[in-house]
Amino acid sequence: MIERVTSTLFSVEEQMFGTPPADSKKYATALAECIVSGAAIPGTPLLTNAGRDENRSLSSCAMIPVIGSTLDEATETKLLSHYKQNMGAGFDFNDCNDPVALLTQINNLAARETATGNYDRYIGNMGLLPITHPSIHQFIKAKRDREMKHFNISINVSETFMERAANKDLFSLSNGKQVQADALLYAIAENAWSHGDPGLIFLDRMNRDNPLADREEYAYVTTPPCAELGLAKEETCHFGYINLGSFILRRRGDIHIDYNKMREITHLLTRALDNAIEYSLSRYPSPLSASISRTTRRIAIGVCGLADVFLAYKLPYASAEARTLARDLLSFITYAAKCASIDLARQRESCPAMKFPANKYVHGSFLEEKYAQKPTHTVSAHDWACLASDIRNSKNLRNLSVTALAPSGRSSLLLDATSSIEPLFSIFSHDGTIQPRIVNFLMDELNGNADTVAQVCQMATLSGSFQQCELLPASIRACLKTAKEIEPMAHLQMAAEIAGVEGVVDEAASKTVNLPYDTRVSDVVDIFLQAYRLGLKNISIYRDKTKAAQPEML
């Protein structure tokens, strides 16, 4: 797999950019070593497609336009052409008279295609509807009464709506009908409480961080299935992941992050994903997808292993220190990827979007306002100002955006890392034993006392948690809290610090707040309001045991 992926990715170096064969081989070998060592990996759609079918692009998903209330033949053909490339899809149902009917038809198509057994990946979709749509009430409960395994659904909510909901004011739908905003938010919360859908997406906030939002054809209209970034009409995305846990250095009892190695690998992954775009341009199912990808060349570097880093540093996920460290790590990757993108622009030329009069990088103080206002220990305000000035004056930038935090589910499994920016999902491995990363953590904390570690693990196995193990100090137990044991506010604060409106990544983060079964609907309403107040760009919740087929979360 590694051979076919790396050879495919770097085949375009010689063909399109005149890179000497020896250098192309060097880059391919370096990426292969990253994958083998667990430091970084391309997204699984890329792993699935590269080198296996000459006609497939390397994209993860695409925005597919729909209109009306019926899945017509042309749209079905377009959908199938994307699904057959192992791509997910994002939909904007704003122009649909009956979005629930069309949602159902597309889901049934995905289910029918999956049943053929001809697909290498699960078909996933995102259905998005604005809060102002006349059919909003029906859409909110679309998944409550019918099975739709192939869709996540979300509501595009505005800040105006959230303010009206918080103040219990009236809110106008697009047809002029007035509704009670707080009742509408409660309906969203109640359905999310019941079965996990819908989530909330603040598309206006995503577009504020979109350098081309002022041009209609490049404004975001929906997201991929997990809402980690915005997508313009027929736009696609390419993902890769950096395993934060692989950069931990231990020296004479002290813990450090190898930022030099992180910079090198970020540069390499930026190059690899830019190659993935180049490879995909002639293979997209839609000419418009090729056009927008060629114009913006957006890539999405994400991470996994954040919870592994917190374990190494003995930091509870819910602590301010953990959030500071997360900002340091992610701001460094964003900065390094932009530096790499500048270097690529000098070698290969900038993306055409850098010549647009509406481009915020070139006109105004986009980067300074986005990042320099809240510098980190790894990237100063001066660093961001100098970078912004360089881009503004030279117009050198190969990729319009570079970082977004997708779930990294399959990729993190391949790297044996915790997923994305999430806390520990469970204390157990798939075979029911305590996770090795936790056993190793306990061995360090308990001075290598294997008998005590075994006793503690036995107690945790019986109770399903370390939180009742009085043999452990409270500080250690706090580090071992799983997703549903962490307070909702801590989930929200982490997402806000990294990927909210004052975050340190270009796009957003796929973030789920895991909740215990006894959570109330009113609690979910509060979580949604807090997500809004903290500046999140999207939020979803999942209450334990509300889906029969959920993964074990002991």
Side-chain angles (χ1 to χ4, degrees), residues 140-158:
I140 286 169
K141 59 183 182 179
K143 291 184 66 175
R144 189 165 193 164
D145 303 322
R146 54 180 69 80
E147 190 173 69
M148 291 193 186
K149 292 184 177 179
H150 296 275
F151 259 99
N152 293 331
I153 65 170
S154 290
I155 311 300
N156 175 18
V157 292
S158 63

Side-chain angles (χ1 to χ4, degrees), residues 259-278:
Y259 282 106
N260 289 329
K261 177 184 174 185
M262 187 180 287
R263 180 187 295 107
E264 292 175 4
I265 291 178
T266 302
H267 278 241
L268 178 63
L269 192 55
T270 303
R271 188 183 194 100
L273 292 178
D274 189 69
N275 288 354
I277 291 173
E278 195 66 29

Side-chain angles (χ1 to χ4, degrees), residues 208-240:
R208 283 178 205 157
D209 285 341
N210 174 2
L212 296 181
D214 292 340
R215 291 188 57 150
E216 183 180 358
E217 67 269 39
Y218 297 104
Y220 300 153
V221 293
T222 190
T223 73
C226 295
E228 61 271 16
L229 51 79
L231 291 172
K233 184 178 179 181
E234 299 208 37
E235 189 170 19
T236 63
C237 51
H238 295 76
F239 291 100

Side-chain angles (χ1 to χ4, degrees), residues 395-452:
K395 296 184 176 59
N396 282 330
L397 195 66
R398 181 71 172 172
N399 315 97
L400 212 61
S401 62
V402 291
T403 48
L405 302 176
S408 81
R410 301 173 187 87
S411 297
S412 58
L413 287 173
L414 289 170
L415 298 181
D416 190 27
T418 54
S419 63
S420 189
I421 61 168
E422 299 288 354
L424 293 169
F425 181 71
S426 169
I427 64 172
F428 298 108
S429 299
H430 293 295
D431 61 1
T433 61
I434 301 296
Q435 287 194 44
R437 58 174 46 87
I438 294 177
V439 174
N440 293 336
F441 171 74
L442 290 171
M443 288 293 287
D444 288 342
E445 291 303 295
L446 299 175
N447 301 315
N449 190 325
D451 290 339
T452 304

Side-chain angles (χ1 to χ4, degrees), residues 76-120:
E76 180 172 328
T77 300
K78 177 172 282 192
L79 270 171
L80 291 177
S81 67
H82 286 79
Y83 289 159
K84 288 174 181 177
Q85 289 206 12
N86 294 306
M87 298 168 87
F91 298 92
D92 170 22
F93 287 109
N94 188 37
D95 292 329
C96 300
N97 301 324
D98 188 345
V100 175
L102 191 52
L103 176 78
T104 305
Q105 292 174 54
I106 297 173
N107 181 79
N108 292 343
L109 172 67
R112 187 176 75 237
E113 287 297 305
T114 299
T116 66
N118 296 328
Y119 291 81
D120 296 315

Side-chain angles (χ1 to χ4, degrees), residues 123-143:
I123 298 175
N125 302 288
M126 167 61 81
L128 185 65
L129 193 73
I131 192 69
T132 54
H133 197 283
S135 298
I136 189 64
H137 289 91
Q138 294 88 339
F139 190 82
I140 286 169
K141 59 183 182 179
K143 291 184 66 175

Side-chain angles (χ1 to χ4, degrees), residues 13 17 19 27 271 340-349 396 398:
E13 293 262 348
F17 307 123
T19 305
Y27 292 128
R271 188 183 194 100
S341 187
I342 292 173
D343 291 343
L344 285 174
R346 294 189 178 111
Q347 299 166 24
R348 303 176 175 183
E349 74 180 13
N396 282 330
R398 181 71 172 172

Side-chain angles (χ1 to χ4, degrees), residues 293-336:
S293 187
R294 183 181 292 108
T295 300
T296 66
R297 304 192 73 93
R298 295 171 63 216
I299 61 173
I301 295 177
V303 300
C304 55
L306 182 61
D308 293 320
V309 174
F310 293 160
L311 277 180
Y313 274 85
K314 305 174 188 175
L315 291 176
Y317 187 89
S319 66
E321 293 83 0
R323 294 190 290 273
T324 296
L325 178 57
R327 282 182 61 86
D328 289 347
L329 292 165
L330 269 297
S331 66
F332 185 86
I333 290 173
T334 298
Y335 181 82

